[in-house]
């Protein structure tokens, strides 16, 4: 009993993810699957960013670079070298992790706004590089031969369902990882850095290393998700792979749900993506959808900086064990 | 006597300001060294140089026989140095207990979370914060935050503890409680350097004292020697309130 109580926060987070995943499985509709796919993708990206933004307190405005780079590396290996989706996902994750590791040593020394600016610079630089990198198809990008999907359950529809199930598994994995980080000694060091980096170092937290590993961890899953996303997409181009707007939306999702909590980015990612879908299909809001994201971010920062989950935790301390 | 800390000719310059010049002293294990001097004398700067916040512009710092000049703060923590901050730095959004666990996890003994929790409980009891364990650190009052600084430092199980004005801003009964805690820490064999403006308190607990003035070592000796040193009295005359306090407090001795 006490064992279950201890893990209530994780169990609730998993139940929420599974509930989302169950929706298209139950009604069997392709359109529902597509909607939930974008929601789970957002959940995965937001939860990853949360390790850096929520736990460590570093705002990365260019986090989409890891989604794009991982996607490109994996896609290249599948399209040109006939790698399987599985090994390509691993390679994409590793590529993003490697970039984060190298960057971490260089730009994580910057504090506050300077770090945020540097991450934007990195995203634009990588995008510009890939735009001119012929093996990756330059500005045109690359496409997958449709034959490829034959290896994944037969036709394109089966491959889409399989992509969906892989995403569900990845989202669950990310949820468990963010929970484990949150409740580990490593995670405590990150929280200490978030609260006061100098004081944390005085207490013995080796901040340069901890920050780098947090950055790597927050980059590896977006890299894997990028491979899966563009595999399902069938083609990859620089613009959708390195969309700065997506970075900003990731921040909105984390802030909306509650930075630094496990459940927050799950609710924030899913909720924001639902809202975005609604706005995109609404003639009135279609063109100002990003402005809505900006206003939303402003409102959150001004009025509920702790996000939905953080706010509930503050109001109802008794729920803290469940809402982690 | 084994020396836990040797400071040799340490200097520190900020821009054109000589914050420390040629500070030299040895600190034997198990003693309490009182560090006094007017505001801006360089006391906190000396702590910052010893614990690696910034490197000195000259001189050496030797800790437990090892030259640690210019070491990073976290390496000093691992070697067994802990400190409190004059301006408290609680990890606001973490609970008191979590704050103290950080000290136990990343300090000299580098405990895992489980063991660190036990250390934290023991230390919170020791400094009288046990009842506040689950409160957010940001919600504590000043006196409690000072005790939290102390608890975090102690949870690291340091060999040497640097206390930067832990009595400032406390009421008389809180001061008495804190002085009692300092005494008990020394009984545990921990060496202490204590920066303090509350003269009677620091004179009471210190084995030796050093007086800094404009970055210079003005005087050094037992509390009695220092209190009766004309240069010390003169230096404090620049700051009438402090001088008055010093006179009154040495009368009480
Ligand atoms: N980081 C810093 N940068 C520039 N000047 C500093 C810095 N730290 C301290 N000082 C200056 O050095 C002098 C000594 O300061 P400090 O060590 O804080 O004095 P004390 O603790 O004895 O009151 C002061 O004049 C202060 O303004
Ligand atoms: Mg000071």
């Amino acid at each position: 009993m006490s064992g279950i109580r201890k893990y209530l926060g994780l169990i609730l987070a998993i139940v929420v993810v599974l509930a989302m995943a169950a929706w298209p499985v139950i009604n069997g509709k392709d359109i529902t699957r597509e909607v939930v796919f974008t929601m789970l993708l957002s959940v995965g990206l937001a939860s990853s960013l949360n390790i850096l933004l929520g736990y460590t307190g570093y705002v990365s405005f260019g986090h989409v670079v890891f989604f794009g780079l991982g996607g490109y590396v994996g896609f290249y290996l599948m399209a040109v070298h006939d790698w399987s989706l599985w090994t390509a996902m691993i390679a994409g994750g590793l590529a993003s992790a490697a970039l984060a590791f190298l960057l971490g040593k260089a730009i994580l020394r910057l504090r506050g706004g300077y770090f945020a600016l540097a991450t934007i610079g990195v995203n634009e630089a990588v995008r510009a590089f890939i735009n001119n990198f012929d093996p990756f198809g330059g500005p045109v990008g690359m496409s997958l031969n449709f034959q490829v999907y034959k290896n994944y359950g037969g036709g394109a529809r089966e491959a889409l369902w399989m992509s969906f199930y892989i995403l569900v598994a990845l989202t669950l994995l990310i949820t468990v990882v963010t929970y484990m980080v949150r409740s580990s000694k490593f995670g405590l060091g990150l929280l200490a850095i978030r609260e006061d980096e100098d004081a944390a170092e005085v207490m013995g937290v080796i901040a340069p290393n901890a920050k780098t590993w947090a950055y790597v961890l927050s980059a590896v899953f977006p890299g894997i998700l990028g491979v899966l996303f563009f595999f399902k997409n069938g083609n990859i181009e620089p613009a959708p792979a390195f969309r700065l707007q997506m970075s900003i939306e990731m921040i909105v999702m984390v802030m909306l749900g509650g930075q630094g909590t496990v459940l927050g980015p799950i609710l924030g990612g899913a909720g924001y993506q639902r809202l975005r879908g609604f706005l995109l299909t609404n003639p009135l809001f279609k063109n100002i959808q990003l402005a809505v994201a900006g206003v939303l971010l402003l409102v959150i920062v001004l009025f509920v900086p702790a996000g939905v989950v953080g706010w509930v935790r503050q109001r109802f301390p008794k729920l803290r064990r469940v809402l982690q | 006597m084994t020396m836990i800390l040797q400071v040799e000719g340490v200097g520190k310059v900020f821009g054109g300001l000589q914050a420390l010049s040629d500070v030299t002293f040895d600190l034997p294990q198990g003693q309490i060294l009182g560090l006094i001097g007017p505001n801006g004398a360089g006391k906190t700067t000396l702590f910052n140089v010893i614990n690696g916040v910034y490197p000195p512009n000259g001189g050496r710092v030797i800790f437990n026989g090892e030259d640690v000049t210019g070491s990073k703060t976290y390496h000093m923590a691992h070697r067994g140095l802990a400190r409190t901050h004059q301006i408290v730095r609680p990890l606001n959004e973490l609970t008191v207990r979590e704050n103290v666990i950080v000290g136990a996890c990343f300090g000299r003994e580098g405990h895992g979370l489980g063991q660190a929790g036990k250390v934290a409980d023991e230390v919170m009891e020791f400094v009288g914060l046990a009842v506040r364990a689950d409160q957010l650190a940001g919600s504590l009052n000043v006196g409690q935050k000072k005790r939290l600084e102390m608890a975090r430092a102690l949870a690291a199980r340091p060999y040497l503890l640097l206390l930067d004005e832990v009595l400032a801003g406390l009421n008389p009964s809180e001061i008495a409680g804190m002085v009692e805690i300092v005494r008990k820490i020394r009984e545990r064999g921990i060496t202490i350097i204590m920066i303090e403006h509350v003269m009677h308190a620091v004179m009471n607990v210190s084995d030796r004292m050093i007086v800094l003035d404009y970055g210079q070592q003005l005087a050094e000796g037992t509390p009695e020697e220092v209190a009766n040193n004309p240069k010390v009295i003169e230096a404090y005359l620049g700051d009438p309130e402090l001088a008055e306090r010093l006179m009154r407090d040495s009368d009480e001795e």
Side-chain angles (χ1 to χ4, degrees), chain A residues 268-321:
Chain A
Y272 178 82
Q273 197 55 51
R274 272 308 276 167
L275 177 70
R276 182 169 176 269
F278 165 77
L279 294 177
L280 276 176
T281 52
N282 182 309
L284 201 62
F285 290 109
K286 198 168 68 190
N287 297 318
I288 57 160
Q289 170 255 127
L290 192 61
V292 173
V295 171
L296 190 59
L297 186 58
L298 200 63
V299 169
I300 299 165
V301 170
L302 287 177
F303 300 109
V304 266
V308 173
V309 174
W311 183 82
V312 175
R313 277 171 62 92
Q314 282 164 11
R315 282 298 297 270
F316 308 100
K318 286 218 173 77
L319 291 177
R320 281 194 188 158
R321 188 178 289 281

Side-chain angles (χ1 to χ4, degrees), chain B residues 43-62:
Chain B
K43 305 181 295 295
T44 299
T45 302
L46 180 58
F47 272 14
N48 285 340
V49 167
I50 293 172
N51 110 300
V53 173
Y54 24 68
N57 294 103
R60 298 201 302 163
V61 178
I62 293 163

Side-chain angles (χ1 to χ4, degrees), chain B residues 13 20 59 77 88 109 111 122 136 175 200 205 217 240 251:
Chain B
V13 182
L20 292 175
V88 290
E109 291 184 335
H111 289 297
E122 187 256 324
L136 290 185
I175 289 181
H200 66 92
V205 295
Q217 250 167 297
D251 283 350

Side-chain angles (χ1 to χ4, degrees), chain A residues 206-228:
Chain A
I206 306 178
N209 291 353
K211 285 190 296 187
T212 301
W213 288 118
Y215 200 32
V216 167
L217 214 50
S218 77
V220 65
F221 291 111
I224 297 172
L225 292 171
V227 180
L228 181 65

Side-chain angles (χ1 to χ4, degrees), chain A residues 171-199:
Chain A
T171 311
L172 289 173
L173 177 64
I174 295 169
T175 303
V176 171
V177 168
T178 57
Y179 176 85
M180 277 167 40
V181 170
R182 180 75 169 77
S183 43
S184 69
K185 175 173 165 175
F186 168 62
L188 182 64
L190 297 183
L191 298 181
I193 291 171
R194 177 188 76 191
E195 294 300 313
D196 186 334
E197 188 164 343
D198 292 325

Side-chain angles (χ1 to χ4, degrees), chain A residues 197-270:
Chain A
E197 188 164 343
D198 292 325
E201 288 197 335
V202 165
M203 284 188 272
V205 179
I206 306 178
N209 291 353
K211 285 190 296 187
T212 301
W213 288 118
Y215 200 32
V216 167
L217 214 50
S218 77
V220 65
F221 291 111
I224 297 172
L225 292 171
V227 180
L228 181 65
F229 178 82
F230 289 105
F231 163 82
K232 171 176 165 290
N233 211 34
N235 77 319
I236 189 167
E237 286 169 56
F242 300 100
R243 209 159 41 93
L244 200 55
Q245 172 182 339
M246 197 159 141
S247 290
I248 296 164
E249 289 177 322
M250 279 158 75
I251 296 175
V252 176
M253 294 171 199
V254 176
M255 300 286 294
L256 174 66
Q259 50 171 323
T261 64
V262 176
L263 187 61
I266 297 174
L267 299 182

Side-chain angles (χ1 to χ4, degrees), chain A:
Chain A
M1 182 61 203
S2 75
I4 291 180
R5 291 243 308 253
K6 198 175 154 206
Y7 294 109
L8 268 183
L10 176 63
I11 292 168
L12 180 63
I14 288 177
V15 166
V16 171
V17 172
L18 284 178
M20 276 189 265
W23 181 17
V25 175
I26 290 168
N27 81 5
K29 286 187 187 156
D30 288 351
I31 177 74
T32 314
R33 184 197 64 223
E34 291 309 299
V35 167
V36 176
F37 189 95
T38 58
M39 286 167 69
L40 289 178
L41 182 67
S42 295
V43 167
L45 291 174
S47 294
S48 301
L49 178 62
N50 188 38
I51 296 175
L52 188 70
L53 174 64
Y55 296 174
T56 321
Y58 274 71
V59 183
S60 169
F61 261 107
H63 220 64
V64 71
V65 73
F66 300 116
F67 177 75
L69 181 79
Y72 253 103
V73 169
F75 202 94
Y76 169 76
L77 294 170
M78 287 187 291
V80 180
H81 295 286
D82 294 328
W83 284 34
S84 73
L85 173 62
W86 315 109
T87 46
M89 284 198 297
I90 292 171
L94 288 178
S96 293
L99 177 66
F101 184 80
L102 295 175
L103 279 179
K105 293 287 173 197
I107 63 174
L108 277 168
R109 248 177 293 164
L110 304 169
R111 300 245 176 126
Y114 295 102
F115 172 77
L117 279 177
T119 60
I120 296 180
V122 167
N123 184 50
E124 296 309 298
V126 172
R127 187 227 301 259
F129 171 78
I130 288 193
N131 225 343
N132 294 293
F133 189 58
D134 289 336
F136 283 2
V140 183
M142 297 174 280
S143 302
L144 276 183
N145 185 330
F146 263 82
Q147 297 300 321
V148 166
Y149 296 116
K150 287 237 164 65
N151 304 326
Y152 304 94
R157 186 162 184 273
E158 283 74 14
L160 289 176
W161 273 105
M162 192 200 61
S163 300
F164 175 76
Y165 285 121
I166 296 172
L167 180 60
V168 172
L170 280 173
T171 311
L172 289 173
L173 177 64
I174 295 169
T175 303
V176 171
V177 168
T178 57
Y179 176 85
M180 277 167 40
V181 170
R182 180 75 169 77
S183 43
S184 69
K185 175 173 165 175
F186 168 62
L188 182 64
L190 297 183
L191 298 181
I193 291 171
R194 177 188 76 191
E195 294 300 313
D196 186 334
E197 188 164 343
D198 292 325
E201 288 197 335
V202 165
M203 284 188 272
V205 179
I206 306 178
N209 291 353
K211 285 190 296 187
T212 301
W213 288 118
Y215 200 32
V216 167
L217 214 50
S218 77
V220 65
F221 291 111
I224 297 172
L225 292 171
V227 180
L228 181 65
F229 178 82
F230 289 105
F231 163 82
K232 171 176 165 290
N233 211 34
N235 77 319
I236 189 167
E237 286 169 56
F242 300 100
R243 209 159 41 93
L244 200 55
Q245 172 182 339
M246 197 159 141
S247 290
I248 296 164
E249 289 177 322
M250 279 158 75
I251 296 175
V252 176
M253 294 171 199
V254 176
M255 300 286 294
L256 174 66
Q259 50 171 323
T261 64
V262 176
L263 187 61
I266 297 174
L267 299 182
Y272 178 82
Q273 197 55 51
R274 272 308 276 167
L275 177 70
R276 182 169 176 269
F278 165 77
L279 294 177
L280 276 176
T281 52
N282 182 309
L284 201 62
F285 290 109
K286 198 168 68 190
N287 297 318
I288 57 160
Q289 170 255 127
L290 192 61
V292 173
V295 171
L296 190 59
L297 186 58
L298 200 63
V299 169
I300 299 165
V301 170
L302 287 177
F303 300 109
V304 266
V308 173
V309 174
W311 183 82
V312 175
R313 277 171 62 92
Q314 282 164 11
R315 282 298 297 270
F316 308 100
K318 286 218 173 77
L319 291 177
R320 281 194 188 158
R321 188 178 289 281
V322 191
L323 298 177
Q324 283 184 355

